[in-house]
Amino acid sequence: MEHSTSELSELGTRVHLGTVDIIVAVIYLIGIVAIGLLAAWRHKKREGAADEYFLAGKSLGWASIGLALFATNISTLHLVSFAQNGFDTGLLNGNFEWMAGFTLVLLGLFFAPFYIRSGISTLPDFLERRYNRTCRDCLAFVSVLTAIVIHIAFALLTGGIILEELLEIPMIYSLLVLCVLTGIYTIVGGLLAVVVTESIQTIVLLTGAALITYFALWELGGTADSPGGWDGWQNLLSILQREGETEKLSMLRPHGDPDGMPWYAVLLGYPVLGIWYWCADQTIVQRVLGAKDEQHARQGPIFAGVLKILPVFLFVLPGLLAYALFVDGRLDLSMITVDGEVQSKGVYASMITELLPLGMRGILVAALMAALMSTVSGALNSISTLVSYDLVKRFNPSVNDNTLVRAGRIAAAVALFVAVGLVPALNMFESIYNGMASIISHVAPPITAVLVLGVFWRGSSARAAASVLIGGSILGISVFTINTFVPDGVLNQLPGGFMMMAFTLLVICVIGQVILSLMLPDPKPVASDGVLNGSELAWETPLAALKIPGKTRLGDPRLLSAVLIVVMVILYWIFR
């Protein structure tokens, strides 16, 4: 049974925040806006410089890039929906986090060097240099649209659901306040203000999430009559075994798994979504484009990959702990139960209500606001960059920097307004995170195909790429529309669900692009005075990027990537 946000609000437990909680939340809001504006003021002497506003003057180090990548990616969508998924299906959806580590290695080792060496400002700019103007226009349109829907509107929806529960005020009011405050420092300060605040917000977010995990494990320790202790993990294992739900601890499920995400769907489907999201989405890649040099551009994504290990334990595991507490009679979810069925969208708010003492709830409110504001600010900055460089500068190449910055600020404000208007329509999905992933799975395949073939195969032609981007996008939108209105149709019967749909669409796009490239090859590239263009923007061989050395032995991105991959393989073996 599906319920609207307002219905969930009425069902949820009302949390009366203490004075300390309110003070913590208010201080956080004031502090983060002040820090963002201070970062903008420090660069005021170059106020009109477009590269300063959109790319932070190419001054970002690897740590700032990694923290910013993590913060932009993690939003209230993850906090609320991963807890919901943890309650419903266990650790399964943690695959979206751990598989990201492998994709971030691809970004750091293979894609980032090209982006930095070509001197681009946006990903559409890269596609124009590699292919043609049509490819640039297609990616620019999709990037702006997905930034508004995926990054901003979905984050606002989940943030609104839980803040309405916690603050006892209508969703629209809390969202408007947060949007205005986020818009102030983002629109004024540009990428530098975004990255500085995101670095702080990452720490606040992880601290708040760690509190929930700690208190849930502590509550699960001891006995049902006397909860609290250090035996939480052992009790979790015992409860899952007693309930016949030990598969909830498994990350890789067999074929026919009732939760619809078998192991092969994860291994084949996630890279389609991940390469688009981490390597071709302007909102994400813009942090890499602001790197001070190629070494930092390569190291930053790998550091983000290390951080992506944490969400399984801090975002997904709390939902599973809530399930164990609930079935063991230690967590009262009656306020979000309808007709005997727990409405799991409200699980995270209920955990805050029942597990955290007064005084600590303010930290969680600050963490929720951090997650929401960091995602929204990152998306707004990418939208302003895309509109300025891929729209305004296209039709007026001689435009000055001041006009570019002004256009970007206006675009960000308009995008924020549109995203707020979309929030009610996106509450149709039973699982908000799966709803977002389903949209991406139909949008990503043509972009992933064009980007991967363009970077790793010099024979990929411009006309083939443009045809695949347009035709593949039309195909993906058509399939998504049919599946939405005919949920029992044949297209919705693929084993592996939307993940295998993404892989299937990718295979179609890759085959189409290879055939068209052979039929419609590009002419031989003309010398371009040292500026990389066309097939020059592709590796000579698929493994050529691995020959690029690091500045130091221990800081070599190749070594760091290898260590990260080994750690991820070990984790997958433990939770297989």
Side-chain angles (χ1 to χ4, degrees), residues 421-449:
L422 288 174
V423 168
L426 296 179
N427 200 34
M428 59 178 284
F429 298 103
E430 184 176 351
S431 168
I432 301 174
Y433 191 89
N434 287 352
M436 180 198 72
S438 179
I439 293 175
I440 294 176
S441 69
H442 293 81
V443 172
I447 299 174
T448 298

Side-chain angles (χ1 to χ4, degrees), residues 173-514:
Y173 297 135
S174 60
L175 291 185
L176 286 177
V177 170
L178 290 178
C179 285
V180 169
L181 293 177
T182 305
I184 288 174
Y185 70 78
T186 303
I187 294 172
V188 171
L191 181 60
L192 183 67
V194 170
V195 170
V196 169
T197 53
E198 282 179 337
S199 298
I200 298 170
Q201 286 164 330
T202 299
I203 298 171
V204 175
L205 172 61
L206 292 177
T207 300
L211 281 175
I212 280 286
T213 303
Y214 169 78
F215 279 100
L217 275 171
W218 178 262
E219 185 72 16
L220 198 57
T223 64
D225 295 329
S226 180
W230 301 108
D231 298 325
W233 183 258
Q234 290 300 322
N235 286 350
L236 171 65
L237 298 178
S238 299
I239 292 169
L240 292 178
Q241 188 172 16
R242 183 189 72 202
E243 299 293 325
E245 296 280 5
T246 53
E247 76 279 356
K248 285 182 178 289
L249 281 174
S250 173
M251 299 281 285
L252 300 176
R253 308 285 178 85
H255 174 71
D257 179 70
D259 294 320
M261 200 183 297
W263 64 271
Y264 56 83
V266 173
L267 295 181
L268 296 177
Y270 179 83
V272 183
L273 282 62
I275 290 175
W276 168 78
Y277 185 87
W278 292 106
C279 303
D281 183 13
Q282 181 69 25
T283 301
I284 297 297
V285 178
Q286 189 156 338
R287 282 106 193 91
V288 175
L289 299 181
K292 61 178 64 176
D293 58 38
E294 183 178 295
Q295 175 83 349
H296 287 274
R298 297 168 70 201
Q299 290 175 331
I302 298 166
F303 177 48
V306 174
L307 294 176
K308 292 296 283 182
I309 295 173
L310 300 176
V312 171
F313 304 109
L314 299 182
F315 303 151
V316 186
L317 180 60
L320 179 57
L321 294 172
Y323 169 80
L325 288 167
F326 172 67
V327 299
D328 205 41
R330 307 192 201 185
L331 183 65
D332 181 12
L333 298 181
S334 59
M335 297 299 291
I336 58 170
T337 300
V338 178
D339 298 331
E341 181 181 352
V342 175
Q343 306 303 305
S344 52
K345 282 183 183 179
V347 163
Y348 203 76
S350 295
M351 293 178 71
I352 295 175
T353 302
E354 298 195 36
L355 299 180
L356 292 185
L358 287 173
M360 287 194 176
R361 294 171 185 169
I363 298 177
L364 257 295
V365 173
L368 290 166
M369 292 189 295
L372 176 60
M373 295 172 76
S374 62
T375 298
V376 171
S377 64
L380 289 178
N381 186 248
S382 72
I383 290 170
S384 65
T385 306
L386 287 165
V387 170
S388 297
Y389 281 103
D390 296 299
L391 181 62
V392 175
K393 199 164 187 176
R394 173 188 175 181
F395 293 103
N396 185 10
S398 61
V399 65
N400 60 46
D401 282 2
N402 286 323
T403 303
L404 270 183
V405 172
R406 190 181 310 116
R409 287 170 171 164
I410 294 172
V414 172
L416 192 57
F417 178 80
V418 172
V420 172
L422 288 174
V423 168
L426 296 179
N427 200 34
M428 59 178 284
F429 298 103
E430 184 176 351
S431 168
I432 301 174
Y433 191 89
N434 287 352
M436 180 198 72
S438 179
I439 293 175
I440 294 176
S441 69
H442 293 81
V443 172
I447 299 174
T448 298
V450 167
L451 181 68
V452 171
L453 288 177
V455 169
F456 291 102
W457 181 38
R458 291 193 167 186
S460 181
S461 72
R463 286 178 291 180
S467 300
V468 167
L469 276 179
I470 297 173
S473 297
I474 293 174
L475 175 62
I477 293 172
S478 300
V479 172
F480 179 79
T481 303
I482 293 172
N483 287 344
T484 300
F485 290 101
V486 189
D488 297 326
V490 65
L491 293 179
N492 250 342
Q493 304 307 313
L494 277 178
F498 62 82
M499 298 283 271
M500 286 307 296
M501 176 59 71
F503 178 73
T504 301
L505 291 173
L506 175 72
V507 171
I508 293 173
C509 290
V510 168
I511 292 175
Q513 187 169 345
V514 170

Side-chain angles (χ1 to χ4, degrees), residues 69-124:
L69 285 171
F70 183 84
T72 299
N73 167 241
I74 297 296
S75 70
T76 44
L77 175 67
H78 292 72
L79 290 172
V80 176
S81 292
F82 274 170
Q84 175 189 6
N85 292 331
F87 186 91
D88 294 336
T89 64
L91 300 184
L92 180 62
N93 276 54
N95 281 297
F96 289 104
E97 299 303 296
W98 282 0
M99 288 295 292
F102 298 104
T103 314
L104 283 161
V105 166
L106 292 178
L107 173 60
L109 292 185
F110 295 97
F111 293 98
F114 261 130
Y115 297 156
I116 297 300
R117 294 180 183 189
S118 59
I120 61 171
S121 299
T122 67
L123 264 295

Side-chain angles (χ1 to χ4, degrees), residues 103-179:
T103 314
L104 283 161
V105 166
L106 292 178
L107 173 60
L109 292 185
F110 295 97
F111 293 98
F114 261 130
Y115 297 156
I116 297 300
R117 294 180 183 189
S118 59
I120 61 171
S121 299
T122 67
L123 264 295
D125 183 18
F126 175 80
L127 281 197
E128 180 180 16
R129 296 191 187 190
R130 176 61 181 90
Y131 293 119
N132 56 25
R133 169 67 70 172
T134 302
C135 293
R136 178 176 189 163
D137 292 342
C138 288
L139 185 58
F141 174 76
V142 172
S143 297
V144 171
L145 184 63
T146 53
I148 293 174
V149 177
I150 302 297
H151 292 289
I152 302 180
F154 269 112
L156 292 177
L157 169 61
T158 50
I161 289 175
I162 199 164
L163 287 176
E164 187 172 47
E165 297 277 341
L166 295 173
L167 302 179
E168 299 186 55
I169 59 177
M171 175 195 296
I172 189 64
Y173 297 135
S174 60
L175 291 185
L176 286 177
V177 170
L178 290 178
C179 285

Side-chain angles (χ1 to χ4, degrees), residues 509-523:
C509 290
V510 168
I511 292 175
Q513 187 169 345
V514 170
I515 292 174
L516 289 174
S517 293
L518 296 175
M519 294 174 59
L520 304 170
D522 286 336

